[in-house]
Amino acid sequence: MKKIISVVGARPNFMKVAPIHFEFAKHKDIVNHLICHTGQHYDQNMSNVFFEELELPKPDFHLGVGSGSHAQQTAAIMVEFEKVLNREMPDLIIVVGDVNSTIACSLVARKMKIPVAHVEAGLRSFDRDMPEEINRILTDAISDYLFVSEPSGMENLKREGISDDRKYLVGNVMIDSLIRNLPKIENSSILKRFNITREQYILATLHRPINVDNKTSLTEILEILNKHAQNHKIIFPVHPRTKANFKNFDLEKIISQNLIVCDPIGYIDFISLIKNAALIITDSGGIQEESTFLKVQCLTLRENTERPITIELGTNHLIGTNIENIDRAISSVLNSQQIKEGTIPPLWDGKAAERICNKLIENI
Ligand code: UD1
C-alpha cells in the first residue's frame, strides 16, 4: 500500500485537490490518500465551507498556521509539515497551485527525499513582483512530476530546462471540480437571494495587492464600479485582504447602494454567480479559467496573466489596471461591442485528475 499526502492551504486549493481525492478513492486497495491542511486560510467562509460543499473529508492533518508575513507563514508551515512527514513518511506528496503552502511543503518534502508532484505546474506571469510567481518557479524547479493545465505551461517548463519525462499536459483539475458539481450549481438559489436575474448583473472580485493594497487604486476601482452599478447591479464578494483595506482607507462610506459588497461566498453559489453573470470583473487566477469554461465575458484587471489560453481561446480580456481602460472595457462588453465567442481549451474535460492519478499509480 502506497501513502500519498496532498496539501491544501488557501481557498483556491480546495477545488483542485477534491477531484484528485475522489480519483484515488477508486484505488483504495493500492493508495492511501491523505489530506494535510496548512491552515493558511482558516475562516468558515474561506475554508470550511469548501470542505462541506465539495464533500471532502476532514483533513487528516491540520497545521493550524494562520496568517503572518510571507516569511512567518512559509516558515511556520515548513516547521509543522516536517513533523507530519517525519511521522508519516509518505511515498509522495502532491501540492497544487501557487500559494505559500505550495512552496513551503514541496521544499520540506524534497529535502527529505520524498517525491513531489505539482499540479498546475508551468504557469508563468513573468512578473516576479507577484509572490505567486516566485512560488510557481521554485516549486516547479524541485518537483518530480509536473502536471500542466495548458500548452503555455509545457513551453515555459521546456524553456526552464525541465525534461520531458517530468512534465505532463493533463488538463485542468479546477474544471474537473466544476463539471462534477454542475448539477448542484444549477440548483443554487443565490440569484434569488440577491434578487438578481440571469445576465442582468456584474460579478466582481479583487484581492491582488496591486489593486487593493494602494488607496488610490482601490478608490478609483470602487468609483468605476459605482458608476456602472447605476445600470447593472454589481455583486462584490470581498476577500479578507480587501475588506481590511476598505477599513484602513476609510472607503466603506463611498460604496453605493447598487454595489452589493458581501462576505466571501461558498463554491456552489459562487460558480452559479459566474455562470449567470453578464460580465465578470476580477484579478483572480482561477476565475479566469472558470469563466472561460462557462463562456462568460471576463475582464481581468491585471497587466499580465499566467493563464494565456483564457485570452487566446477563452472569453477572458486582459485589460490592465489603467482606470480609463477599465471603464471603457466594461462599457464595450455591456453594450456588446466587444464580445469574445470563446472555445473550451483542450483537455478541460473533467478528466485531469484521472490522468494525474493514473500516471502516479504507474510510477510510484
Ligand atoms: C492567497 C494566495 C493567492 C491566492 C489567494 C486566494 C499566497 C502568497 N497568496 O492570497 O495566491 O490567490 O490566497 O484567496 O499564498 N485572511 C483572513 N481569513 C482567512 C484567510 C486570510 O482574514 O481565512 C486574511 C489574512 O489575515 C491576511 C489576508 O487575509 O491578512 C491575506 O491572506 P494570505 O493568506 O496572506 O494571502 P491572500 O491574499 O489570501
Side-chain angles (χ1 to χ4, degrees):
M1 176 74 99
K2 299 289 182 184
K3 189 189 281 185
I4 296 181
I5 299 181
S6 284
V7 174
V8 292
R11 181 166 63 175
N13 295 160
F14 308 125
M15 60 295 265
K16 294 174 192 167
V17 164
I20 295 172
H21 184 75
F22 298 132
E23 200 54 42
F24 277 129
K26 296 181 190 160
H27 304 278
K28 267 202 169 92
D29 48 329
I30 43 175
V31 174
N32 180 18
H33 181 251
L34 302 170
I35 296 177
C36 177
H37 190 334
T38 65
Q40 177 174 349
H41 285 176
Y42 43 85
D43 291 346
Q44 167 64 24
N45 59 20
M46 293 293 284
S47 173
N48 298 359
V49 66
F50 291 87
F51 278 82
E52 291 154 20
E53 293 191 350
L54 294 165
E55 295 171 36
L56 273 170
K58 260 182 72 171
D60 300 278
F61 315 100
H62 203 300
L63 308 184
V65 163
S67 333
S69 69
H70 282 273
Q72 282 166 342
Q73 194 174 57
T74 310
I77 296 168
M78 289 180 71
V79 170
E80 294 306 315
F81 193 57
E82 187 178 50
K83 293 178 194 163
V84 171
L85 292 188
N86 270 325
R87 225 173 34 232
E88 297 293 327
M89 288 312 285
D91 297 283
L92 174 102
I93 72 146
I94 300 176
V95 294
V96 298
D98 56 16
V99 301
N100 287 341
S101 302
T102 312
I103 177 60
C105 294
S106 43
L107 195 50
V108 174
R110 203 64 209 77
K111 287 196 175 173
M112 292 175 73
K113 303 192 178 65
I114 296 169
V116 175
H118 183 205
V119 174
E120 204 183 84
L123 297 183
R124 296 288 179 269
S125 66
F126 303 102
D127 175 0
R128 290 196 176 202
D129 288 337
M130 286 177 75
E132 294 86 351
E133 182 76 352
I134 306 299
N135 294 342
R136 288 190 280 258
I137 293 169
L138 298 181
T139 304
D140 285 343
I142 57 174
S143 291
D144 301 274
Y145 301 89
L146 294 96
F147 294 113
V148 178
S149 55
E150 63 164 82
S152 72
M154 296 298 275
E155 286 160 32
N156 296 333
L157 294 176
K158 188 173 179 191
R159 196 176 329 103
E160 290 172 24
I162 307 278
S163 59
D164 281 345
D165 58 350
R166 283 167 65 202
K167 55 182 191 286
Y168 311 93
L169 185 62
V170 291
N172 192 325
V173 283
M174 206 167 198
I175 301 304
D176 288 8
S177 259
L178 198 163
I179 293 173
R180 180 187 173 94
N181 285 289
L182 269 178
K184 283 199 213 163
I185 292 161
E186 298 292 352
N187 279 330
S188 159
S189 58
I190 191 75
L191 268 58
K192 231 182 248 154
R193 265 182 281 153
F194 277 118
N195 195 18
I196 47 179
T197 40
R198 192 176 145 72
E199 293 180 16
Q200 297 302 316
Y201 66 92
I202 299 171
L203 175 66
T205 81
L206 294 168
H207 75 279
R208 297 261 165 232
I210 184 161
N211 289 321
V212 306
D213 282 4
N214 168 299
K215 184 174 179 180
T216 313
S217 317
L218 192 54
T219 310
E220 284 181 348
I221 294 174
L222 274 181
E223 283 166 353
I224 288 295
L225 293 182
N226 276 337
K227 176 182 157 189
H228 289 278
Q230 290 168 12
N231 300 319
H232 285 83
K233 254 192 194 173
I234 303 185
I235 309 296
F236 187 175
V238 177
H239 186 280
R241 170 190 285 279
T242 313
K243 187 175 181 181
N245 286 337
F246 282 167
K247 226 190 183 84
N248 296 339
F249 304 147
D250 197 20
L251 292 176
E252 282 148 333
K253 59 178 191 284
I254 70 162
I255 295 167
S256 71
Q257 207 191 355
N258 251 1
L259 176 57
I260 305 189
V261 169
C262 59
D263 284 336
I265 289 176
Y267 179 71
I268 301 293
D269 286 339
F270 189 76
I271 302 288
S272 174
L273 283 173
I274 295 184
K275 189 166 185 289
N276 293 298
L279 167 67
I280 294 164
I281 299 172
T282 193
D283 58 9
S284 149
I287 295 171
Q288 297 175 61
E289 297 180 338
E290 289 159 336
S291 56
T292 274
F293 182 79
L294 294 167
K295 300 193 175 172
V296 177
Q297 304 300 307
C298 176
L299 302 181
T300 296
L301 274 52
R302 290 172 46 186
E303 301 296 344
N304 49 57
T305 178
E306 59 289 326
R307 293 163 161 91
I309 198 89
T310 62
I311 308 288
E312 289 153 19
L313 293 187
T315 46
N316 190 18
H317 309 242
L318 190 64
I319 55 167
T321 52
N322 174 286
I323 209 70
E324 282 88 30
N325 291 346
I326 297 172
D327 186 22
R328 216 171 307 122
I330 296 174
S331 301
S332 310
V333 171
L334 289 177
N335 54 38
S336 304
Q337 284 167 340
Q338 219 175 64
I339 299 290
K340 284 178 135 182
E341 282 294 321
T343 53
I344 295 174
L347 299 178
W348 291 19
D349 58 359
K351 295 192 173 134
E354 188 183 318
R355 294 184 192 102
I356 291 169
C357 295
N358 287 345
K359 180 52 73 183
L360 290 175
I361 288 170
E362 240 172 66
N363 281 273
I364 56 172

